[in-house]
Amino acid sequence: MGAAPTTAASRRRRRAIPWVFLGLWVAVLALASPFASRLADVQKDRPVDYLPASADSTEVARIQDQLPGGEATELVLVYHRDGGLSAADRKTAAEQIAEVADAHRLVAEPKGVPSEDGTTLMYPIASTEPGQDEEKRDALVGDVRDIARGEGGLSVDVGGGGAFDTDASEVYNSLGGPLLYTTAAVVALLLILIYRSPFLWLVPLAVAGIADYFAMAVAYGLHQAFGTAISGQSSGIMTILVFGAGTDYALLLVARYREELRRIEQPYDAMVAALRGCGPAVLASSGTVAAGLLCLLAADLNSSRGMGPLGTVGVLCALAAMLTLLPAILVLLGRRVFWPLVPAYGSTPKRRRSLFAAMGGSAGRRPLAVLAGGGVLLGALALGAFNLPGSLKQEDSFTKTPDSVAAMKTLAAAYPEGSAQPITVMTRAGDATAALAEIRGTKGVDRAQKGRTAKGWTEISVSASAPAESPGETATIKALRDGLDGAYVGGASAQQLDLKESNARDRAVVVPLVLAAVLLVLVALLRSLVAPLLLLAAVVAVWGASLGIAGLVFEPLFGFEGTDPGLGLLSFVFLVALGVDYGIFLMHRMREECLNGCEPGPAALTALRTTGGVVASAGLVLAATFAVLTNMPLVQLVELGFVIAVGVLLDTFLVRTYLVTSASVALGRKVWWPGPLSRPRAAATSPAPEAERVRVPSP
């Protein structure tokens, strides 16, 4: 009699728990809603916003912001006719420039600079009207473009740093919607194919969307509380991680839940068993990704440093949603959510020939040969990295050609002897005369003139004799920095130089930190040193091979003129952190089998057979979500998405399936050294500590 009320109360509590979690998420979303919508308002995508605070070009922009009118918006109006400009063309140009000068406050009177071949006339102008207001800057650029129009074969393009920033901002602001919708569509398609259910795919997709919305609110909070840099790139990557990693966690949980529903009658109990079974691996996986991404906080580059917290937010929000909201919804919907392939209680799934069992068998028969062959293949692919094009120039940053880039290309062809992209020098007002003389005497300087003077600073505009972003102009910038005491050298080309140098410094600092952080997490999880080193070596090999494949296709196939300086670091962080995930799922299951008395060789093959299908599905989803970036209009996003997608596929179908499995078979118990599982079987099969046992509650 006394047990009945307890049982009834327990049943009521079990029925209430999913509703409690559902209610908590409704409350969380209600609180997050006002903040999530503001994330786009704090997004900044000027090149200078990506730079470290210590960079010369950052100092130039900071000082300019303090001058009357703030940082000047520099534009170049480019008038061009293939057969040569006529007198009427020059008159049109002069009239339009005068109209621009009447409508806007310019720093100096515009002066036209004709090209030697007579085909082009450029008018550099600068205005301090917008200050730091991006909307006013974009309005200025739009108004100038409305005024400067050509007809009858006369082309007019508006370029310069301000126009480029406007075009880049327009592209970044347009990423959010298409990126989200495309990612959701790709994930939906793959889930339909994987689940073969008209309803089930909607649940993890909807939960991922909720997690993304929550992540946006948390990211905005980080910006407000700690000043975390938000860029179009970092917010886009955050969305990719929410959908990619979140769907991976959902696939693992749903697969284990389906398995438990055949053994346990009540959905609530089956879900508890599923969470106990796959929860540790999922937690370790997300912890590894978070640890790797947080190492980016050590980066000097502002954009990379901001990427770490935002990526971590995306992964952790996805984890929270998939381990609380998803289980609650699945339990409330019951078995019918799997229709038409409903897992009946007490049923046995149909035995099918496993592709991964066959692949594991081949790796198990000749492990050393498979390991050597795979290593040679990855090494050969990595050699392609030497074919990667040089650093990406600003004019090559778009997959299409906006007005500002068209202007830059016209200028490069018409003025091959000089740069139409000014170098800005900020010097103390009292030193301006001496600095101007020093600048004019610097090798590679074509001309220089004073600009504004205020707040104790003088702005000097410098034109190099070499083309923009060429080795000659780079040498001129370095010579100016070496020769001027107490002055700062900035401008668009200087910003690109600072980006390149900061990325080189960050690679030397962040890469060892990522390896150390991921290694510590793996050692704690696997109670071994050899297995973590094996997994790390595998993902580093995948990274090298992915860059090699990129080197074979970027320029020859995609036509990219350069490689983003940050590609190496960001692709390394993501591939190491995300790639280790699949090794964790494999090794965690292998360790579970060894704890139950299985030898490492058979345990590795069993782990591959049991995890192969779901992890392959997870790898396909993650690769597809990053592949969405290859459809974006920015070359750096296309390159990053391609390298990560290729790396995930290599890791899923080659490294984890063949190389890690064959290495585990070849090493035997040594793979668990120096942990207890590395000892002879009599010691290894002794009762495992209670914390290490994976128990499934009885139905």
Side-chain angles (χ1 to χ4, degrees):
M1 292 292 292
T6 303
T7 302
S10 175
R11 289 176 180 174
R12 286 196 299 271
R13 184 171 63 252
R14 292 181 178 188
R15 285 196 297 267
I17 287 176
W19 287 106
V20 169
F21 278 109
L22 194 61
L24 285 175
W25 272 98
V26 170
V28 165
L29 290 180
L31 292 173
S33 184
F35 306 105
S37 58
R38 298 179 189 173
L39 186 63
D41 298 336
V42 298
Q43 177 179 309
K44 294 186 180 296
D45 291 298
R46 298 181 306 166
V48 73
D49 294 321
Y50 283 60
L51 293 169
S54 59
D56 253 32
S57 49
T58 309
E59 286 293 333
V60 169
R62 183 183 62 79
I63 295 170
Q64 285 181 319
D65 289 339
Q66 298 174 4
L67 299 181
E71 183 181 359
T73 298
E74 296 173 338
L75 305 175
V76 181
L77 282 72
V78 183
Y79 295 84
H80 176 82
R81 186 184 291 273
D82 289 335
L85 294 170
S86 65
D89 294 336
R90 294 186 178 87
K91 181 181 178 182
T92 298
E95 291 174 348
Q96 292 181 352
I97 292 297
E99 186 177 351
V100 170
D102 289 340
H104 301 282
R105 184 175 66 249
L106 303 183
V107 173
E109 181 182 350
K111 294 181 180 180
V113 182
S115 63
E116 289 187 1
D117 60 8
T119 62
T120 309
L121 178 64
M122 71 168 176
Y123 278 90
I125 65 172
S127 173
T128 58
E129 281 182 353
Q132 292 179 278
D133 194 317
E134 293 186 14
E135 291 185 5
K136 291 181 180 178
R137 179 204 65 200
D138 296 344
L140 168 67
V141 174
D143 188 50
V144 172
R145 284 174 171 169
D146 289 339
I147 294 173
R149 294 183 177 275
E151 56 183 30
L154 174 67
S155 67
V156 185
D157 295 311
V158 179
F164 183 88
D165 290 348
T166 292
D167 290 337
S169 178
E170 182 179 345
V171 169
Y172 275 114
N173 290 336
S174 68
L175 289 179
L179 183 64
L180 176 61
Y181 304 145
T182 307
T183 303
V186 167
V187 171
L189 177 61
L190 289 174
L191 288 177
I192 291 171
L193 294 175
I194 292 168
Y195 287 142
R196 290 171 293 168
S197 167
F199 307 114
L200 181 57
W201 64 274
L202 282 167
V203 180
L205 185 64
V207 172
I210 290 171
D212 183 50
Y213 195 68
F214 180 46
M216 292 169 63
V218 176
Y220 177 80
L222 283 179
H223 173 79
Q224 294 299 104
F226 304 105
T228 303
I230 309 291
S231 67
Q233 185 184 50
S234 60
S235 60
I237 294 295
M238 184 181 72
T239 293
I240 291 289
L241 283 173
V242 170
F243 278 89
T247 305
D248 280 4
Y249 303 151
L251 285 168
L252 291 167
L253 178 63
V254 171
R256 191 66 176 251
Y257 179 50
R258 187 198 295 267
E259 179 183 334
E260 298 297 343
L261 282 173
R262 298 181 187 277
R263 302 174 54 245
I264 301 174
E265 184 175 6
Q266 296 299 321
Y268 178 89
D269 297 328
M271 180 58 73
V272 170
L275 287 170
R276 288 179 177 174
C278 70
V282 171
L283 288 171
S285 167
S286 60
T288 304
V289 177
L293 290 176
L294 285 177
C295 291
L296 284 171
L297 286 171
D300 195 31
L301 203 63
N302 204 28
S303 56
S304 297
R305 192 167 60 250
M307 182 83 71
L310 257 68
T312 302
V313 163
V315 170
L316 295 184
C317 287
L319 174 73
M322 294 304 169
L323 291 187
T324 57
L325 181 59
L326 177 64
I329 295 175
L330 289 175
V331 169
L332 291 174
L333 293 175
R335 297 175 186 269
R336 58 184 178 275
V337 73
F338 290 94
W339 186 88
L341 304 175
V342 178
Y345 172 58
S347 65
T348 303
K350 294 181 180 179
R351 289 282 183 181
R352 296 180 180 177
R353 180 176 175 79
S354 171
L355 171 64
F356 289 94
M359 296 170 76
S362 64
R365 285 190 297 271
R366 304 179 63 186
L368 293 178
V370 170
L371 191 60
V376 170
L377 175 60
L378 290 176
L381 289 174
L383 293 176
F386 292 104
N387 196 48
L388 283 168
S391 294
L392 189 68
K393 296 181 179 179
Q394 277 192 340
E395 63 191 74
D396 300 320
S397 298
F398 301 96
T399 56
K400 297 180 181 178
T401 306
D403 197 28
S404 59
V405 173
M408 294 168 73
K409 292 183 180 295
T410 301
L411 290 172
Y415 302 86
E417 73 288 349
S419 174
Q421 193 162 268
I423 301 168
T424 303
V425 176
M426 300 301 303
T427 184
R428 294 290 180 181
D431 302 330
T433 301
L436 185 60
E438 180 72 24
I439 290 169
R440 287 173 174 168
T442 302
K443 183 180 178 181
V445 171
D446 182 38
R447 59 184 181 274
Q449 62 181 13
K450 290 184 182 179
R452 295 171 291 173
T453 296
K455 305 278 186 179
W457 293 94
T458 294
E459 181 181 60
I460 300 175
S461 181
V462 182
S463 295
S465 57
E469 297 183 49
S470 65
E473 190 196 37
T474 298
T476 301
I477 293 171
K478 290 182 177 180
L480 288 171
R481 287 177 171 175
D482 292 338
L484 295 172
D485 292 329
Y488 299 103
V489 180
S493 295
Q495 291 168 7
Q496 293 300 105
L497 175 61
D498 289 337
L499 281 172
K500 184 178 179 180
E501 292 180 347
S502 296
N503 270 301
R505 177 265 177 198
D506 288 347
R507 282 195 299 272
V509 173
V510 175
V511 166
L513 285 177
V514 172
L515 292 174
V518 172
L519 180 63
L520 288 175
V521 174
L522 290 176
V523 169
L525 173 71
L526 300 177
R527 313 295 210 287
S528 163
L529 185 59
V530 174
L533 289 174
L534 172 63
L535 292 180
L536 273 185
V539 293
V540 171
V542 164
W543 172 68
S546 303
L547 285 180
I549 294 174
L552 299 176
V553 302
F554 275 2
E555 191 169 12
L557 187 61
F558 295 165
F560 294 158
E561 298 293 332
T563 305
D564 179 39
L567 177 65
L569 176 63
L570 293 180
S571 61
F572 179 85
V573 172
F574 283 112
L575 280 179
V576 169
L578 294 170
V580 165
D581 271 13
Y582 302 131
I584 287 175
F585 300 144
L586 177 72
M587 284 292 188
H588 185 268
R589 186 59 180 259
M590 178 180 166
R591 187 171 187 276
E592 186 178 328
E593 295 294 327
C594 288
L595 286 171
N596 291 329
C598 189
E599 288 296 320
L605 301 181
T606 300
L608 178 62
R609 185 180 68 251
T610 54
T611 67
V614 66
V615 174
S617 300
L620 282 173
V621 170
L622 188 62
T625 53
F626 273 99
V628 169
L629 291 174
T630 63
N631 195 40
M632 297 296 106
L634 288 167
V635 170
Q636 53 263 47
L637 291 181
V638 175
E639 292 179 342
L640 183 63
F642 178 87
V643 171
I644 296 178
V646 168
V648 170
L649 292 176
L650 281 176
D651 183 78
T652 303
F653 294 102
L654 173 62
V655 174
R656 182 186 58 82
T657 304
Y658 282 112
L659 303 191
V660 173
T661 302
S662 61
S664 300
V665 172
L667 288 170
R669 291 196 172 274
K670 294 177 182 177
V671 77
W672 301 117
W673 184 88
L677 289 176
S678 64
R679 298 165 194 159
R681 184 172 180 177
T685 54
S686 59
E690 191 67 25
E692 293 185 358
R693 292 180 177 272
V694 179
R695 296 184 179 276
V696 178
S698 302

